[in-house]
Amino acid sequence: MGTLRTLDDVSPAGRRVLLRLDLNVPIDGGRVTGSERIARSLATVHELADTGARTIIIAHLGRPGGRPDPSMSLAPVAEAVADALGRPVAFATDTIGDNAADIIASTRPGDVVVLENLRFHPGEEADDRDFARALGALGDIYVNDAFSVSHRAHASVTSLARLLPSCAGRLMEEEVNAIARALSHPVRPIAAVVGGAKVSTKLAILDHLSHWADHLVVGGAMANTFLAAQGTGIGASLHEGDMTGTAVRIMKSARARGRAIHLPVDVVVEKDGQPVSCDLDAIGLEARILDIGPLTVRSVSRLIEGCRTVVWNGPMGMFEREGFDRGTVDLARTIADLTRSGSIFSVAGGGDTAAALTRAGATDGFSYVSTAGGAFLQWLEGTPLPGLVALEAA
């Protein structure tokens, strides 16, 4: 990854700053019901406003398909941003056009505006240059503070960065620095912990990490596919039978490169609705594996104690259910404790990971928990992110 320009490299005072945020937050009954993404974006908004910039927030909500949909309006999000900021926030009923231009023209230094949903225009997801130029005409500087959408080659992410003087916002800067420390120039040994349901959805990640990490720990339902590939009976457990050959290839490739893949040595199955720990050779024909077992947690914990960098993506089991969350919770707390002690640097993100760490009460213990889903996963694959490439080129 190249060097990103940051807010330290620009002079936003008095200028119109187009600030790309990720405000794709849950809304119910016209009210925002989850404001974490708003909260994590506030540092940049406060800084811009305090330096006298005229801040113009651009963002998307949902998948309206390139046309206006009142249920996905950013109007309630603008209200939530105002509440979180503790200052007035104007709202434009369109992203481009006369209404947006008039509201921006009426702003003074320190004012904040939220424009309507970018995805109400087909040009956003199509990365249309005309749409990007119309957006660019509304600002003097472009700031991308939405790492979590930077895997999308959309107009507000890539083209806009090439049209205006551009830099990364504080959240983007923080996110990139933390993930780069873990993935681009890590201190070894490295453990990568990967969970989730399907090998097929994380094949590129597993391929990359099995070559890059010193230790790859596989949990969740995808571990069942690896166990089945080794000839272990997994009963009625969720797995991908057509991916067992791929699992074998990944394991052989890792061994050839001197990397280790660690699978569960015991599991937790469901019996009469209750969690029961058992060895791999005792999994019944009708049993469903729903978590890694206590021996596996202890083994992986000892392994991580000998590492310096840990990257985590995906839960170890069905963490949403009481009794089948112990593998995820106990391992998360171990990593958090080791991080607090200064033994390891830990980064987590993607999918259900943040929710799993919250359940474990371990979020604050990790060095960094990414706000991103798809962007974090793409980085784990070793694939460049279009939004970052555009910022670096700018």
Side-chain angles (χ1 to χ4, degrees):
M1 188 192 74
T3 301
L4 289 180
R5 284 161 51 88
T6 71
L7 289 174
D8 297 325
D9 302 309
V10 299
S11 300
R15 305 176 78 182
R16 301 171 302 166
V17 178
L18 284 168
L19 174 62
R20 180 54 159 107
L21 298 181
D22 181 1
L23 300 180
N24 193 25
V25 296
I27 293 179
D28 185 22
R31 296 185 63 84
V32 172
T33 57
S35 59
E36 181 182 356
R37 285 180 173 171
I38 293 173
R40 295 187 73 169
S41 299
L42 291 185
T44 296
V45 182
H46 275 302
E47 182 173 344
L48 289 171
D50 290 345
T51 56
R54 297 155 65 192
T55 306
I56 306 154
I57 296 172
I58 54 175
H60 76 275
L61 179 65
R63 298 179 180 274
R67 59 185 181 277
D69 183 334
S71 70
M72 299 182 198
S73 171
L74 284 176
V77 180
E79 293 179 9
V81 170
D83 290 341
L85 279 175
R87 67 173 79 203
V89 172
F91 178 68
T93 57
D94 201 352
T95 314
I96 56 176
D98 292 342
N99 179 254
D102 290 345
I103 287 180
I104 292 169
S106 69
T107 59
R108 297 179 178 181
D111 285 352
V112 179
V113 177
V114 173
L115 304 187
E116 184 56 283
N117 195 335
L118 286 161
R119 291 185 179 176
F120 283 2
H121 293 266
E124 164 63 1
E125 294 186 80
D127 195 14
D128 180 77
R129 295 302 174 89
D130 289 338
F131 177 66
R133 289 189 189 98
L135 274 176
L138 300 174
D140 304 306
I141 297 173
Y142 168 71
V143 177
N144 187 345
D145 209 24
F147 175 83
S148 51
V149 299
S150 291
H151 61 308
R152 306 289 191 191
H154 292 173
S156 69
V157 177
T158 53
S159 289
L160 204 51
R162 299 185 177 101
L163 292 173
L164 295 175
S166 303
C167 70
R170 295 306 185 196
L171 179 58
M172 171 76 86
E173 181 183 0
E174 183 180 62
E175 191 111 25
V176 168
N177 287 342
I179 297 175
R181 178 176 171 183
L183 299 180
S184 301
H185 40 82
V187 178
R188 293 185 180 274
I190 306 163
V193 181
V194 181
K198 295 182 178 181
V199 173
S200 56
T201 60
K202 296 188 178 179
L203 179 57
I205 293 172
L206 292 169
D207 266 330
H208 180 65
L209 294 182
S210 66
H211 296 162
W212 169 79
D214 300 287
H215 302 279
L216 175 58
V217 177
V218 181
M222 70 168 63
N224 301 338
T225 300
F226 279 82
L227 291 173
Q230 289 186 329
T232 301
I234 59 170
S237 305
L238 177 66
H239 72 293
E240 294 175 287
D242 60 343
M243 295 299 291
T244 54
T246 300
V248 169
R249 176 183 61 75
I250 291 172
M251 289 187 285
K252 286 182 176 179
S253 177
R255 283 196 296 269
R257 293 173 178 266
R259 308 303 191 194
I261 292 185
H262 304 269
L263 301 176
V265 296
D266 68 333
V267 295
V268 175
V269 299
E270 183 179 33
K271 186 173 183 179
D272 298 325
Q274 298 301 312
V276 177
S277 301
C278 67
D279 294 333
L280 296 183
D281 58 5
I283 301 170
L285 292 176
E286 303 301 320
R288 292 196 307 146
I289 301 170
L290 296 182
D291 196 9
I292 58 175
L295 294 177
T296 302
V297 173
R298 287 197 288 272
S299 174
V300 173
S301 295
R302 286 194 298 270
L303 166 72
I304 290 174
E305 286 174 1
C307 291
R308 297 295 304 282
T309 303
V310 177
V311 177
W312 185 336
N313 168 248
M316 296 292 97
M318 191 174 285
F319 75 96
E320 305 92 336
R321 287 185 59 185
E322 188 74 33
F324 301 102
D325 59 349
R326 297 315 315 167
T328 298
V329 168
D330 291 348
L331 191 56
R333 290 175 177 172
T334 294
I335 294 172
D337 288 343
L338 290 169
T339 304
R340 291 189 188 100
S341 73
S343 299
I344 62 173
F345 180 79
S346 57
V347 170
D352 294 324
T353 310
L357 298 188
T358 298
R359 185 178 180 91
T363 302
D364 292 342
F366 275 63
S367 304
Y368 196 79
V369 178
S370 173
T371 60
F376 185 83
L377 297 181
Q378 189 163 318
W379 201 324
L380 287 184
E381 294 172 3
T383 305
L385 304 182
L388 294 189
V389 171
L391 280 184
E392 290 167 7

